[in-house]
Protein backbone atom coordinates (compact mmCIF):
# COMPACT_ATOMS: atom_id res chain seq x y z
CA UNK A 1 0.00 0.00 0.00
CA UNK A 2 1.34 3.41 -0.98
CA UNK A 3 2.38 5.67 1.89
CA UNK A 4 0.92 9.18 1.91
CA UNK A 5 1.35 12.18 4.23
CA UNK A 6 -2.03 13.82 4.70
CA UNK A 7 -1.94 14.45 8.44
CA UNK A 8 0.74 14.53 11.10
CA UNK A 9 0.14 11.01 12.43
CA UNK A 10 0.23 9.30 9.05
CA UNK A 11 3.76 8.53 10.20
CA UNK A 12 4.84 7.04 13.54
CA UNK A 13 6.88 8.92 16.17
CA UNK A 14 9.96 6.92 15.09
CA UNK A 15 9.33 7.82 11.44
CA UNK A 16 8.89 11.48 12.39
CA UNK A 17 12.29 11.38 14.10
CA UNK A 18 13.84 9.69 11.06
CA UNK A 19 12.49 12.39 8.70
CA UNK A 20 13.93 15.11 10.95
CA UNK A 21 17.29 13.30 10.93
CA UNK A 22 17.25 13.23 7.12
CA UNK A 23 16.31 16.93 7.11
CA UNK A 24 19.40 17.82 9.15
CA UNK A 25 21.50 15.71 6.77
CA UNK A 26 20.05 17.49 3.74
CA UNK A 27 20.50 20.92 5.29
CA UNK A 28 24.21 20.16 5.64
CA UNK A 29 24.50 18.52 2.20
CA UNK A 30 21.60 19.82 0.03
CA UNK A 31 22.28 17.67 -3.05
CA UNK A 32 23.28 14.41 -1.32
CA UNK A 33 19.96 12.63 -2.04
CA UNK A 34 18.54 12.48 -5.59
CA UNK A 35 15.41 10.29 -5.55
CA UNK A 36 13.92 12.21 -8.50
CA UNK A 37 17.02 11.92 -10.71
CA UNK A 38 16.01 11.25 -14.28
CA UNK A 39 14.53 13.76 -13.95
CA UNK A 40 11.20 12.63 -12.54
CA UNK A 41 8.33 15.09 -12.23
CA UNK A 42 6.44 16.04 -9.06
CA UNK A 43 3.02 17.69 -9.39
CA UNK A 44 2.53 20.70 -7.11
CA UNK A 45 -1.15 21.65 -7.09
CA UNK A 46 -2.32 24.96 -5.60
CA UNK A 47 -5.93 25.81 -4.83
CA UNK A 48 -4.77 28.58 -2.48
CA UNK A 49 -2.26 31.38 -2.96
CA UNK A 50 1.18 30.56 -1.62
CA UNK A 51 4.68 31.92 -1.13
CA UNK A 52 6.67 29.66 1.23
CA UNK A 53 4.96 26.42 0.17
CA UNK A 54 5.34 27.09 -3.55
CA UNK A 55 8.98 28.17 -3.33
CA UNK A 56 10.11 25.49 -0.85
CA UNK A 57 8.52 22.59 -2.71
CA UNK A 58 9.64 23.79 -6.16
CA UNK A 59 13.22 24.32 -5.00
CA UNK A 60 13.12 21.07 -3.01
CA UNK A 61 12.01 18.94 -5.96
CA UNK A 62 14.77 20.49 -8.11
CA UNK A 63 17.38 19.91 -5.39
CA UNK A 64 16.34 16.23 -5.33
CA UNK A 65 16.96 15.91 -9.08
CA UNK A 66 13.38 16.33 -10.26
CA UNK A 67 11.17 18.76 -12.15
CA UNK A 68 8.44 20.64 -10.27
CA UNK A 69 5.21 20.87 -12.27
CA UNK A 70 3.19 23.70 -10.74
CA UNK A 71 -0.54 23.42 -11.40
CA UNK A 72 -2.93 26.20 -10.42
CA UNK A 73 -6.30 24.55 -10.03
CA UNK A 74 -8.01 27.55 -11.63
CA UNK A 75 -6.25 26.73 -14.90
CA UNK A 76 -6.86 22.97 -14.78
CA UNK A 77 -9.91 20.69 -15.11
CA UNK A 78 -9.60 19.34 -11.56
CA UNK A 79 -12.67 19.65 -9.37
CA UNK A 80 -14.66 21.17 -12.21
CA UNK A 81 -14.95 19.08 -15.34
CA UNK A 82 -12.87 16.25 -13.85
CA UNK A 83 -13.19 14.54 -10.47
CA UNK A 84 -10.36 14.36 -7.95
CA UNK A 85 -10.29 10.58 -8.34
CA UNK A 86 -9.89 10.79 -12.12
CA UNK A 87 -7.22 13.46 -11.75
CA UNK A 88 -5.29 11.16 -9.42
CA UNK A 89 -5.47 8.31 -11.95
CA UNK A 90 -4.11 10.58 -14.68
CA UNK A 91 -1.31 12.05 -12.57
CA UNK A 92 -0.08 8.77 -11.03
CA UNK A 93 0.95 7.51 -14.48
CA UNK A 94 3.13 10.55 -15.17
CA UNK A 95 4.52 11.92 -11.89
CA UNK A 96 6.54 10.57 -8.96
CA UNK A 97 4.51 12.33 -6.28
CA UNK A 98 1.56 14.71 -5.83
CA UNK A 99 1.68 17.71 -3.50
CA UNK A 100 -1.60 19.56 -2.95
CA UNK A 101 -2.45 22.80 -1.12
CA UNK A 102 -6.21 22.85 -0.85
CA UNK A 103 -9.32 23.52 1.23
CA UNK A 104 -11.35 20.44 2.26
CA UNK A 105 -9.23 17.63 3.68
CA UNK A 106 -11.62 15.12 2.10
CA UNK A 107 -10.22 16.03 -1.30
CA UNK A 108 -6.74 14.93 -0.25
CA UNK A 109 -8.16 11.66 1.07
CA UNK A 110 -9.89 11.04 -2.25
CA UNK A 111 -6.68 11.83 -4.13
CA UNK A 112 -4.68 9.43 -1.96
CA UNK A 113 -7.26 6.65 -2.27
CA UNK A 114 -6.89 6.76 -6.05
CA UNK A 115 -3.14 7.31 -6.38
CA UNK A 116 -0.33 4.77 -6.50
CA UNK A 117 2.24 7.55 -5.95
CA UNK A 118 2.64 9.42 -2.63
CA UNK A 119 0.24 12.30 -1.98
CA UNK A 120 1.46 15.07 0.34
CA UNK A 121 -0.77 17.56 2.12
CA UNK A 122 0.96 20.93 1.78
CA UNK A 123 -2.01 22.54 3.60
CA UNK A 124 -5.69 21.78 4.10
CA UNK A 125 -8.43 23.28 6.24
CA UNK A 126 -7.78 20.60 8.88
CA UNK A 127 -4.00 20.10 8.99
CA UNK A 128 -0.67 21.66 8.02
CA UNK A 129 1.72 18.75 8.66
CA UNK A 130 4.60 19.95 6.48
CA UNK A 131 4.78 23.16 8.51
CA UNK A 132 5.07 21.12 11.69
CA UNK A 133 7.99 19.14 10.33
CA UNK A 134 9.74 22.45 9.68
CA UNK A 135 8.82 23.74 13.14
CA UNK A 136 10.08 20.61 14.88
CA UNK A 137 13.29 20.79 12.85
CA UNK A 138 13.76 24.41 13.97
CA UNK A 139 13.12 23.55 17.61
CA UNK A 140 15.52 20.61 17.38
CA UNK A 141 18.25 22.87 15.98
CA UNK A 142 17.86 25.40 18.79
CA UNK A 143 17.05 23.04 21.69
CA UNK A 144 18.78 19.77 20.64
CA UNK A 145 16.10 17.40 21.93
CA UNK A 146 12.33 17.64 21.46
CA UNK A 147 11.07 15.23 24.11
CA UNK A 148 10.21 16.95 27.38
CA UNK A 149 10.09 20.48 26.01
CA UNK A 150 7.04 22.66 26.65
CA UNK A 151 5.49 24.47 23.68
CA UNK A 152 2.77 27.09 24.12
CA UNK A 153 0.37 27.94 21.30
CA UNK A 154 -1.62 31.16 21.90
CA UNK A 155 -4.57 32.35 19.80
CA UNK A 156 -6.91 30.61 17.36
CA UNK A 157 -6.83 26.96 18.40
CA UNK A 158 -9.69 25.90 16.13
CA UNK A 159 -7.61 25.89 12.95
CA UNK A 160 -5.29 23.63 10.97
CA UNK A 161 -2.13 24.87 12.69
CA UNK A 162 -3.44 24.12 16.19
CA UNK A 163 -4.57 20.66 15.07
CA UNK A 164 -1.14 19.87 13.68
CA UNK A 165 0.66 21.29 16.71
CA UNK A 166 -1.41 19.04 18.99
CA UNK A 167 -0.72 15.87 17.04
CA UNK A 168 2.88 16.45 15.91
CA UNK A 169 4.18 17.78 19.23
CA UNK A 170 2.51 14.93 21.13
CA UNK A 171 4.26 12.54 18.74
CA UNK A 172 7.58 14.18 19.56
CA UNK A 173 7.02 13.67 23.29
CA UNK A 174 6.56 17.38 23.96
CA UNK A 175 4.23 19.08 26.44
CA UNK A 176 1.85 21.25 24.45
CA UNK A 177 -0.32 23.94 26.05
CA UNK A 178 -2.92 25.78 23.97
CA UNK A 179 -4.69 28.96 25.08
CA UNK A 180 -7.71 30.22 23.17
CA UNK A 181 -10.95 32.10 23.89
CA UNK A 182 -14.30 30.30 23.94
CA UNK A 183 -15.44 29.52 20.43
CA UNK A 184 -11.89 29.04 19.16
CA UNK A 185 -10.95 25.79 20.86
CA UNK A 186 -9.79 22.65 19.03
CA UNK A 187 -12.21 19.84 18.23
CA UNK A 188 -12.46 17.31 21.04
CA UNK A 189 -11.49 14.41 18.76
CA UNK A 190 -8.20 16.13 17.89
CA UNK A 191 -7.45 16.74 21.57
CA UNK A 192 -8.33 13.12 22.41
CA UNK A 193 -6.07 11.84 19.63
CA UNK A 194 -3.19 14.01 20.85
CA UNK A 195 -3.72 12.87 24.45
CA UNK A 196 -3.65 9.22 23.38
CA UNK A 197 -0.40 9.76 21.49
CA UNK A 198 1.12 11.69 24.43
CA UNK A 199 0.43 8.75 26.72
CA UNK A 200 2.68 6.64 24.51
CA UNK A 201 5.46 9.21 24.04
CA UNK A 202 5.69 10.83 27.48
CA UNK A 203 4.23 14.15 26.34
CA UNK A 204 1.12 15.93 27.56
CA UNK A 205 -1.72 18.13 26.32
CA UNK A 206 -3.25 21.15 28.06
CA UNK A 207 -6.06 23.33 26.67
CA UNK A 208 -6.86 26.50 28.64
CA UNK A 209 -8.33 29.96 28.15
CA UNK A 210 -5.62 31.91 30.01
CA UNK A 211 -2.58 32.76 27.82
CA UNK A 212 -0.41 33.33 30.90
CA UNK A 213 -1.15 29.84 32.20
CA UNK A 214 -0.28 28.28 28.84
CA UNK A 215 2.94 30.19 28.28
CA UNK A 216 4.35 29.84 31.80
CA UNK A 217 7.80 28.18 31.69
CA UNK A 218 7.46 27.39 27.98
CA UNK A 219 10.57 26.53 25.97
CA UNK A 220 8.84 27.40 22.70
CA UNK A 221 6.07 29.94 22.01
CA UNK A 222 4.04 30.05 18.84
CA UNK A 223 0.87 31.44 17.28
CA UNK A 224 -0.91 31.84 13.96
CA UNK A 225 -2.88 34.55 12.25
CA UNK A 226 -6.29 35.32 13.73
CA UNK A 227 -7.72 35.93 10.25
CA UNK A 228 -7.01 33.07 7.85
CA UNK A 229 -7.93 32.96 4.17
CA UNK A 230 -11.70 33.20 3.77
CA UNK A 231 -12.24 34.81 7.19
CA UNK A 232 -11.62 38.42 6.19
CA UNK A 233 -15.30 39.36 6.65
CA UNK A 234 -15.02 38.41 10.34
CA UNK A 235 -11.88 40.47 10.94
CA UNK A 236 -13.31 43.05 13.36
CA UNK A 237 -15.17 40.42 15.40
CA UNK A 238 -12.09 38.24 15.61
CA UNK A 239 -9.92 41.13 16.76
CA UNK A 240 -12.39 41.75 19.59
CA UNK A 241 -12.57 38.05 20.47
CA UNK A 242 -8.79 37.72 20.66
CA UNK A 243 -8.23 40.76 22.83
CA UNK A 244 -5.59 39.80 25.40
CA UNK A 245 -4.12 37.02 23.26
CA UNK A 246 -1.44 39.09 21.51
CA UNK A 247 2.02 37.69 22.24
CA UNK A 248 3.92 40.76 23.42
CA UNK A 249 7.03 41.26 25.54
CA UNK A 250 5.05 41.12 28.79
CA UNK A 251 3.50 37.78 27.89
CA UNK A 252 6.83 36.38 26.66
CA UNK A 253 8.31 37.15 30.08
CA UNK A 254 6.17 34.30 31.45
CA UNK A 255 8.07 31.83 29.26
CA UNK A 256 11.60 30.65 29.99
CA UNK A 257 14.32 33.24 29.45
CA UNK A 258 15.76 31.22 26.57
CA UNK A 259 12.37 30.49 24.96
CA UNK A 260 12.18 30.78 21.19
CA UNK A 261 9.30 32.23 19.18
CA UNK A 262 7.85 30.59 16.06
CA UNK A 263 5.28 31.77 13.50
CA UNK A 264 4.41 29.94 10.28
CA UNK A 265 3.85 33.27 8.46
CA UNK A 266 2.40 35.44 7.08
CA UNK A 267 2.29 37.41 10.34
CA UNK A 268 0.28 40.49 11.23
CA UNK A 269 2.26 42.58 13.67
CA UNK A 270 0.12 44.20 16.32
CA UNK A 271 -2.53 41.48 16.15
CA UNK A 272 -1.46 37.93 17.07
CA UNK A 273 2.11 39.03 17.83
CA UNK A 274 3.81 42.31 18.69
CA UNK A 275 6.63 43.55 16.47
CA UNK A 276 8.93 43.58 19.52
CA UNK A 277 8.57 39.81 19.76
CA UNK A 278 8.55 38.65 16.15
CA UNK A 279 11.41 40.98 15.24
CA UNK A 280 13.20 40.45 18.56
CA UNK A 281 16.11 38.22 19.61
CA UNK A 282 13.93 35.25 20.64
CA UNK A 283 12.31 34.98 17.22
CA UNK A 284 13.58 32.21 14.93
CA UNK A 285 10.98 32.67 12.20
CA UNK A 286 13.48 32.96 9.35
CA UNK A 287 15.17 29.70 10.35
CA UNK A 288 11.67 28.23 10.48
CA UNK A 289 10.78 29.55 7.01
CA UNK A 290 14.00 28.14 5.54
CA UNK A 291 13.42 24.81 7.22
CA UNK A 292 10.27 24.25 5.17
CA UNK A 293 12.68 23.46 2.34
CA UNK A 294 14.82 20.98 4.27
CA UNK A 295 11.95 19.27 6.09
CA UNK A 296 9.89 18.81 2.91
CA UNK A 297 12.89 17.48 1.01
CA UNK A 298 13.41 14.97 3.81
CA UNK A 299 9.75 13.98 3.67
CA UNK A 300 9.93 13.41 -0.10
CA UNK A 301 13.14 11.39 0.28
CA UNK A 302 11.53 9.28 3.02
CA UNK A 303 8.35 8.69 1.02
CA UNK A 304 10.40 7.72 -2.05
CA UNK A 305 12.24 5.15 0.08
CA UNK A 306 9.09 3.90 1.79
CA UNK A 307 6.54 4.27 -0.99
CA UNK A 308 4.97 0.90 -0.24
Amino acid sequence: MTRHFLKDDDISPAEQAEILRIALELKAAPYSRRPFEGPKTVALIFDKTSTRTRVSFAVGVADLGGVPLIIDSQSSQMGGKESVADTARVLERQVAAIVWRTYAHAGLEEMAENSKVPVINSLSDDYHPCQLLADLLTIKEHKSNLAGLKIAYIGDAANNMANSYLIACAMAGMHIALAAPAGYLPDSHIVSRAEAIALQTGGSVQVVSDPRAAIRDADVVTTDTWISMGQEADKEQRIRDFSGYTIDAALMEQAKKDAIFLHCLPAYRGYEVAAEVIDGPQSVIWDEAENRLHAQKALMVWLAQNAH
Side-chain angles (χ1 to χ4, degrees):
M1 188 173 70
T2 304
R3 296 293 298 271
H4 304 289
F5 189 60
L6 309 186
K7 59 186 193 313
D8 303 84
D9 57 347
D10 281 346
I11 53 177
S12 69
E15 290 168 341
Q16 181 193 72
E18 172 66 6
I19 291 167
L20 295 177
R21 187 196 65 74
I22 295 170
L24 288 171
E25 174 192 315
L26 287 170
K27 191 167 185 176
Y31 311 108
S32 59
R33 303 280 194 112
R34 307 280 284 180
F36 300 139
E37 197 77 80
K40 298 176 182 178
T41 299
V42 175
L44 310 178
I45 307 170
F46 292 92
D47 293 347
K48 292 186 173 186
T49 56
S50 170
T51 300
R52 278 153 297 280
T53 298
R54 189 180 296 242
V55 172
S56 58
F57 265 112
V59 172
V61 170
D63 283 359
L64 297 176
V67 174
L69 173 62
I70 296 176
I71 304 170
D72 286 312
S73 60
Q74 295 86 348
S75 58
S76 75
Q77 305 282 19
M78 193 177 77
K81 294 182 180 178
E82 190 164 55
S83 69
V84 171
D86 285 356
T87 300
R89 296 180 186 113
V90 170
L91 290 176
E92 69 170 7
R93 291 173 176 239
Q94 301 181 58
V95 303
I98 300 166
V99 180
W100 191 9
R101 180 180 172 96
T102 188
Y103 293 91
H105 193 77
L108 280 155
E109 292 173 339
E110 183 180 352
M111 181 78 79
E113 286 167 5
N114 292 279
S115 173
K116 293 185 180 67
V117 299
V119 175
I120 296 171
N121 174 10
S122 56
L123 180 140
S124 71
D125 288 346
D126 292 351
Y127 302 97
H128 199 353
C130 288
Q131 180 66 56
L132 260 291
L133 289 176
D135 287 7
L136 292 175
L137 177 62
T138 307
I139 298 166
K140 190 173 179 63
E141 285 182 320
H142 286 270
K143 299 292 184 182
S144 296
N145 295 315
L146 297 174
L149 293 177
K150 179 180 178 180
I151 180 168
Y153 176 96
I154 312 295
D156 185 357
N159 64 10
N160 51 6
M161 283 304 302
N163 290 346
S164 280
Y165 271 118
L166 281 164
I167 301 297
C169 291
M171 289 174 62
M174 299 174 72
H175 304 291
I176 177 158
L178 278 76
Y184 298 95
L185 296 170
D187 284 344
S188 58
H189 79 277
I190 298 287
V191 176
S192 295
R193 176 61 180 144
E195 289 173 337
I197 293 169
L199 280 175
Q200 302 299 317
T201 62
S204 66
V205 176
Q206 180 186 22
V207 180
V208 297
S209 60
D210 182 3
R212 293 171 67 88
I215 204 171
R216 192 168 295 122
D217 295 326
D219 299 283
V220 183
V221 179
T222 187
T223 187
D224 189 20
T225 178
W226 296 340
I227 303 105
S228 296
M229 280 183 246
Q231 298 173 340
E232 291 80 6
D234 301 327
K235 179 178 179 179
E236 296 306 318
Q237 182 62 51
R238 283 176 164 264
I239 290 171
R240 288 192 294 272
D241 291 344
F242 287 107
S243 176
Y245 286 82
T246 299
I247 299 176
D248 55 18
L251 192 57
M252 278 295 289
E253 285 179 2
Q254 300 297 311
K256 289 183 179 176
K257 290 193 185 317
D258 63 349
I260 58 173
F261 174 78
L262 299 175
H263 193 305
C264 65
L265 303 177
Y268 300 92
R269 291 162 175 82
Y271 292 97
E272 72 270 14
V273 61
E276 61 191 357
V277 173
I278 196 169
D279 299 321
Q282 291 172 281
S283 175
V284 295
I285 61 167
W286 307 123
D287 292 344
E288 179 187 10
E290 177 191 341
N291 281 339
R292 285 290 298 276
L293 171 64
H294 310 302
Q296 288 162 185
K297 284 172 64 178
L299 173 65
M300 289 187 285
V301 165
W302 187 86
L303 284 170
Q305 291 174 344
N306 299 274
H308 300 283

